[in-house]
Amino acid sequence: MIYRFLIVALLVTFLGFSQDYNVAMEVLKSDLELTSYSKDSTANALVIYDYGNSFVDDKTFWLRVQNEQKIKILRTDGIDRGQFEVKLYKGKTSQEKIENIKGTTYNLENGEIRKTHLTKAAIFEEENEKYTLVRFVLPNVKVGSVITVSYETQSRFMSKYHPWYFQGEDPVLYSEYNTSIPANYEYHIKLVGGIPLDTHDISLKKQCLVLGNGASADCSISKYIMKNIPAYKPEDYTTTSLNYTSRVEYEMSVFKTFDGRTDKITKTWEDADHELKTDSDFGRQISKKSLVKDILPDSISSISDQLKKAKAIYKYVLNNYKWNGKSERYDVSIKTLTKDKVGSAFEINLLLENLLSNEGIKVFPILMSTRNNGLATKVYPVLSDFNYVILKALIDDKSYYLDATDPYLSFGELPFKALNQYGRLIDFEEGSYWEDINVNNFSGRIHRVELSSFEDDQFDGTIKSIFQGYHSHKSKRQFNENPNDYLENKIHDYTNITIEDHEVLDTDTSTFNETMDISIQPEFIGNKIYFNPFIIKFFDKNPFQLQERTYPIDFGYKDIYNYSMIIKLNDNLQVIDIPESVNYALPNKSGSLLFNIESKNNEILLYFLVKFNQAIYPPDYYPYLKSFMDKVVELQNNTIITLEKQ
C-alpha cells in the first residue's frame, strides 16, 4: 500500500511540472490530445521522457547501456524524429553491439489509441571501416503522434564511459541517467553546459562485480536528473554547440586490475609538458637555432629596437611563407617549411617562434582549441583537445599575441577562429599554465556621410568609411584579391545610392579606409521629401530571435558601430520634421545605443553609435540584447527626416 502511494505521488509530481504530459514510457490518451508545449511554442517535437541506465555486466564485464525515450511530434518538421541512428564502434579485437530494439508509434484515431510497432524490416545496418551505423524508422509517424523507443548497446570500450546528453534540438521534460561504475575504473566526470541538475544522488553498492577467484569490486552508483530542459537552438554569435550543450562526460583516469596492478591513464600537466617537450612535432621544433640559421636578412637582424625588429620578422614570415590550411599538430617540420615555403599553422607559427627567440625576443607558444573545435578541457590534460597554436611575445613589458598564417592580420592580431577564451601557454622551464586570450581593443565600422548639395531633385555627397580591427579583414582580403569584384559587390549592396567614384586609401595597416562619391534620389510626395538618413545599415534585422537562449552570446571581440551624417540644406530645402533622440544602455554599462539628430545653421546633423563593451555576454543578458537590437534595427529602418522643397 505504501509503494502504491509513492507511485501515485511521483506521478502527480511529474504531471505538475510536465503540464499534463505523462512523464513515463506509458502513453496516455491525454498525451495524444495535447497539441503544443507552452514553454516553447516553436518546438517541432517534445521529448517527454528520456531515460538511460548504464552498468558493467557481472558475467560478461561488458558495459551495457539501456535507453528509453518517449517523444511527442508537434509540427511537420518534427516527423523525422521517428528516424533513429546508433553508431557502434569497431576495435581491433571487439566491436559494439545493439540489442532489443523496440519502437511504437501511437496515434489517436476516432477517439481511440492506435499502436503501430516497429518491424525488423525497418531496421538497417550500414558498415563502415571504423563503425557500424544502425538505422531504424518508426512507422506511421505524423503530427500529433507519440513515439516510444528502447534499445540496449553493449561495449567493451571502457576508456570513455558512455556520456549522456540531457539537451538536444528539442525541449525535454524529464531526463534521467543512472550509472554503476566499478571501483577499478576511475573517471574524471565533467558536467558541460549551464543548466543545473535537479537531482544528483550518489551511493555505493558492495561487491557489484565478483570473480571466480574471490576478487570483487564495489560500484559507485549515480543518478542524474534534469527537468524542463530548453532545446539547444543554434543562433549567430556563438562557438560550437559542444561548448554549451548540457551533458555529462567521462574520461578514464586510472584503471586497477583485479591482480593489484594500477594503470594511470590521465596524465598530470607535468607529464603532458614532458611529453610535449620531447615531441618531434612540437618540443623538438621550438627554439632551435639550427633550424633558422641564416634565414633572416641583415636588414632585419640589425634592427636595434626590439618591437620594430619583431614587427619586421613577423612581416617577413607573412611575405615569404604561405599557410596550407592545415592546423593540427602532426608531421610538423620547420626544415620542410623553409624549403617548400608552404606549411601548416604549427609549422609557420613555430618558425616565427624560432626567428623571434633567436633574436633575443622572449616568446612562448600557446596551444589552442579553435572556436569550431570546442573549449579545451581544463580539469585534466587532454592534448587531443588542442588543434591550433599561437604565440605570445613579451616586448618592453608588453604582451603581443601573434599568428602568421593570414597576410591580412596585423602584428598583435589573432585570426577570429582563435578567439576562444583561453589556451595553454607552454613554458618548458617554469611549467605550462592557462592563459586567457582577451582582445582589449575595439573593432569598429565607421561611416561618415556628407550630403553637400541638392540639385535636380537629388543629393550629391561623399561617404568616408573606416573598418577597424576584425571588421577590416574581410574588406582588405576582398579588395586585394579582386578590386573590380569588390566595387561591383559594393554597387550591388548599396542599391539605394549611386556610386559615382570609389577610392581605397590604405590596406597595409589594421584599418581599411575607403571613400565614395555618391548621389541619392530621395522619395517625393508632392514637394515633400521623406528621407531615411541610414543609407548604410549595420544590421538589416535583429540577429536574436529565440524565445530563450541557454548559452553565451560570443562576439569574439568588443565592437563599435558609428554612423554620422551632415546634410547641407542651402536655400532650396526646409526642415519639416526630424525624429527624437534616443539614449539606451545595456545593464552594467556593458553596451550603449546613442542616436542624436538636430537641425542648426542650415544643416542637419545626425550621430548614431552602437557600442558593445564586452566580447562575451552571459545567457541572462539575452533578453536585454534582444530588446537592444530591436531598437537598433528600428532606428535604422524607420528613421525618417521630412524636408520640403522650396
Side-chain angles (χ1 to χ4, degrees):
M1 189 70 179
I2 294 174
Y3 295 112
R4 289 181 181 175
F5 177 80
L6 179 61
I7 292 171
V8 171
L10 287 172
L11 183 58
V12 169
T13 301
F14 287 161
L15 291 175
F17 77 78
S18 65
Q19 299 175 325
D20 298 327
Y21 284 103
N22 175 38
V23 183
M25 285 295 282
E26 181 185 10
V27 177
L28 303 180
K29 189 175 181 180
S30 59
D31 296 325
L32 293 164
E33 290 174 335
L34 290 169
T35 59
S36 64
Y37 177 50
S38 62
K39 290 189 176 182
D40 187 351
S41 60
T42 66
N44 295 317
L46 172 66
V47 179
I48 302 172
Y49 182 76
D50 196 16
Y51 174 87
N53 181 41
S54 59
F55 59 95
V56 175
D57 189 279
D58 59 1
K59 295 182 176 60
T60 65
F61 297 97
W62 283 49
L63 177 63
R64 296 172 58 185
V65 184
Q66 298 165 341
N67 296 270
E68 295 181 355
Q69 200 171 55
K70 172 179 164 183
I71 304 172
K72 171 73 175 186
I73 310 302
L74 296 172
R75 293 185 169 198
T76 302
D77 288 343
I79 291 175
D80 63 3
R81 304 303 189 270
Q83 303 174 22
F84 292 83
E85 289 186 354
V86 180
K87 189 176 287 188
L88 304 173
Y89 290 94
K90 298 177 180 178
K92 292 181 179 180
T93 60
S94 178
Q95 65 181 53
E96 294 179 328
K97 298 186 290 187
I98 189 168
E99 304 282 351
N100 303 320
I101 302 174
K102 297 178 182 178
T104 303
T105 303
Y106 296 78
N107 288 300
L108 196 61
E109 297 182 4
N110 299 319
E112 300 294 328
I113 298 177
R114 181 184 174 188
K115 304 178 186 178
T116 312
H117 298 290
L118 174 71
T119 64
K120 289 185 178 181
I123 302 174
F124 310 93
E125 291 189 4
E126 179 182 312
E127 295 295 335
N128 189 285
E129 182 180 351
K130 295 183 178 180
Y131 59 85
T132 300
L133 188 64
V134 179
R135 305 175 190 266
F136 48 97
V137 182
L138 271 63
N140 202 27
V141 179
K142 53 190 174 184
V143 174
S145 299
V146 173
I147 59 177
T148 61
V149 65
S150 63
Y151 58 88
E152 178 182 303
T153 58
Q154 300 174 5
S155 173
R156 291 184 63 183
F157 308 129
M158 295 291 293
S159 60
K160 286 201 176 210
Y161 198 84
H162 189 78
W164 185 257
Y165 283 74
F166 297 98
Q167 191 177 31
E169 61 182 329
D170 301 310
V172 181
L173 285 181
Y174 181 89
S175 181
E176 176 182 326
Y177 188 42
N178 297 276
T179 65
S180 174
I181 302 177
N184 51 323
Y185 297 103
E186 294 183 13
Y187 295 89
H188 291 295
I189 302 174
K190 182 174 65 171
L191 183 66
V192 181
I195 303 174
L197 290 164
D198 288 279
T199 299
H200 183 197
D201 294 335
I202 302 175
S203 60
L204 184 68
K205 182 179 180 181
K206 292 287 189 177
Q207 295 186 332
C208 63
L209 291 182
V210 179
L211 270 69
N213 59 4
S216 65
D218 300 337
C219 284
S220 174
I221 309 297
S222 295
K223 180 191 293 289
Y224 306 91
I225 297 174
M226 277 190 190
K227 302 174 185 177
N228 297 316
I229 309 160
Y232 183 91
K233 298 182 179 180
E235 192 176 52
D236 288 344
Y237 303 113
T238 187
T239 55
T240 174
S241 63
L242 292 174
N243 286 338
Y244 308 114
T245 304
S246 290
R247 63 191 185 276
V248 61
E249 290 185 339
Y250 302 81
E251 184 83 23
M252 185 181 288
S253 59
V254 175
F255 173 61
K256 301 174 183 177
T257 63
F258 285 101
D259 61 8
R261 190 179 78 253
T262 297
D263 291 336
K264 188 179 178 182
I265 308 300
T266 302
K267 304 174 179 65
T268 65
W269 270 111
E270 287 184 357
D271 297 329
D273 288 350
H274 177 73
E275 179 181 327
L276 287 168
K277 187 174 183 178
T278 58
D279 185 2
S280 61
D281 291 325
F282 190 72
R284 294 183 182 179
Q285 304 289 327
I286 293 173
S287 300
K288 304 295 183 184
K289 291 185 178 181
S290 60
L291 294 175
V292 294
K293 185 179 179 181
D294 301 327
I295 287 182
L296 288 177
D298 292 338
S299 59
I300 294 178
S301 298
S302 61
I303 298 174
S304 58
D305 183 276
Q306 288 288 77
L307 182 56
K308 290 181 179 179
K309 179 183 283 190
K311 289 182 176 180
I313 294 172
Y314 177 78
K315 194 69 174 177
Y316 177 84
V317 174
L318 282 177
N319 291 339
N320 290 276
Y321 301 92
K322 185 179 180 181
W323 181 41
N324 61 13
K326 296 180 180 180
S327 299
E328 292 76 13
R329 179 173 58 91
Y330 61 87
D331 295 335
V332 177
S333 172
I334 293 177
K335 185 177 180 179
T336 301
L337 171 64
T338 57
K339 177 183 176 182
D340 297 342
K341 307 297 183 182
V342 177
S344 68
F346 269 84
E347 289 170 327
I348 288 174
N349 285 331
L350 293 186
L351 169 65
L352 178 60
E353 186 276 339
N354 276 273
L355 292 172
L356 291 170
S357 63
N358 199 35
E359 293 295 326
I361 297 170
K362 200 163 189 178
V363 60
F364 301 95
I366 300 177
L367 291 174
M368 295 286 303
S369 178
T370 56
R371 292 172 70 90
N372 289 334
N373 194 56
L375 292 169
T377 302
K378 280 190 171 183
V379 181
Y380 43 85
V382 183
L383 295 182
S384 59
D385 278 358
F386 302 104
N387 69 327
Y388 204 74
V389 67
I390 61 171
L391 304 178
K392 179 183 179 179
L394 300 176
I395 306 171
D396 299 331
D397 297 323
K398 188 174 180 181
S399 299
Y400 299 88
Y401 296 120
L402 303 177
D403 181 293
T405 62
D406 187 342
Y408 299 104
L409 294 175
S410 298
F411 185 87
E413 284 186 334
L414 295 176
F416 181 73
K417 62 177 175 286
L419 302 184
N420 201 24
Q421 300 189 31
Y422 56 81
R424 189 76 182 184
L425 185 144
I426 305 302
D427 184 344
F428 290 136
E429 294 181 4
E430 301 294 331
S432 66
Y433 56 88
W434 293 107
E435 172 91 359
D436 290 335
I437 307 299
N438 297 315
V439 180
N440 294 319
N441 295 331
F442 282 84
S443 293
R445 282 180 58 190
I446 301 168
H447 300 289
R448 304 275 184 252
V449 183
E450 180 176 331
L451 301 183
S452 54
S453 66
F454 181 76
E455 300 290 342
D456 299 325
D457 292 343
Q458 77 173 25
F459 289 108
D460 293 311
T462 60
I463 301 175
K464 296 180 180 180
S465 298
I466 303 172
F467 300 86
Q468 299 172 327
Y470 286 93
H471 287 292
S472 71
H473 299 163
K474 181 179 178 181
S475 296
K476 285 193 287 188
R477 179 178 289 106
Q478 290 179 342
F479 179 79
N480 285 351
E481 290 178 357
N482 195 319
N484 291 330
D485 282 353
Y486 178 84
L487 179 57
E488 288 297 321
N489 290 333
K490 189 77 67 175
I491 293 171
H492 180 266
D493 291 339
Y494 296 162
T495 55
N496 56 336
I497 65 176
T498 300
I499 299 175
E500 308 289 353
D501 192 24
H502 175 262
E503 181 182 6
V504 172
L505 304 179
D506 187 10
T507 62
D508 289 333
T509 66
S510 60
T511 64
F512 179 85
N513 301 295
E514 65 182 355
T515 63
M516 293 183 289
D517 293 333
I518 63 165
S519 61
I520 305 171
Q521 293 182 333
E523 178 183 352
F524 278 89
I525 298 179
N527 279 337
K528 291 183 179 178
I529 298 172
Y530 296 90
F531 179 58
N532 183 339
F534 287 98
I535 57 178
I536 297 176
K537 296 180 174 64
F538 298 120
F539 301 95
D540 293 325
K541 61 180 182 179
N542 190 339
F544 305 124
Q545 297 292 326
L546 299 179
Q547 289 180 311
E548 180 182 12
R549 178 159 163 165
T550 60
Y551 50 95
I553 300 89
D554 189 335
F555 294 100
Y557 48 84
K558 294 182 286 188
D559 246 340
I560 289 178
Y561 298 88
N562 188 205
Y563 182 90
S564 62
M565 174 178 276
I566 298 175
I567 303 176
K568 296 185 177 180
L569 300 174
N570 302 323
D571 295 327
N572 50 1
L573 289 176
Q574 179 181 345
V575 177
I576 303 298
D577 185 49
I578 58 174
E580 296 181 354
S581 297
V582 174
N583 194 347
Y584 187 75
L586 288 169
N588 301 316
K589 299 181 180 179
S590 61
S592 56
L593 165 62
L594 177 63
F595 172 73
N596 187 62
I597 187 168
E598 58 181 332
S599 175
K600 65 178 183 179
N601 299 328
N602 216 29
E603 291 181 338
I604 296 176
L605 306 174
L606 179 149
Y607 185 81
F608 178 73
L609 176 69
V610 179
K611 191 175 183 182
F612 297 101
N613 295 324
Q614 296 178 195
I616 303 175
Y617 291 83
D620 55 1
Y621 271 69
Y622 185 72
Y624 302 107
L625 281 165
K626 188 175 181 179
S627 177
F628 182 88
M629 290 304 298
D630 275 340
K631 296 183 185 300
V632 171
V633 173
E634 170 71 16
L635 280 170
Q636 290 181 125
N637 290 339
N638 297 319
T639 294
I640 298 295
I641 296 171
T642 306
L643 305 172
E644 188 170 41
K645 184 178 177 182
Q646 299 298 298

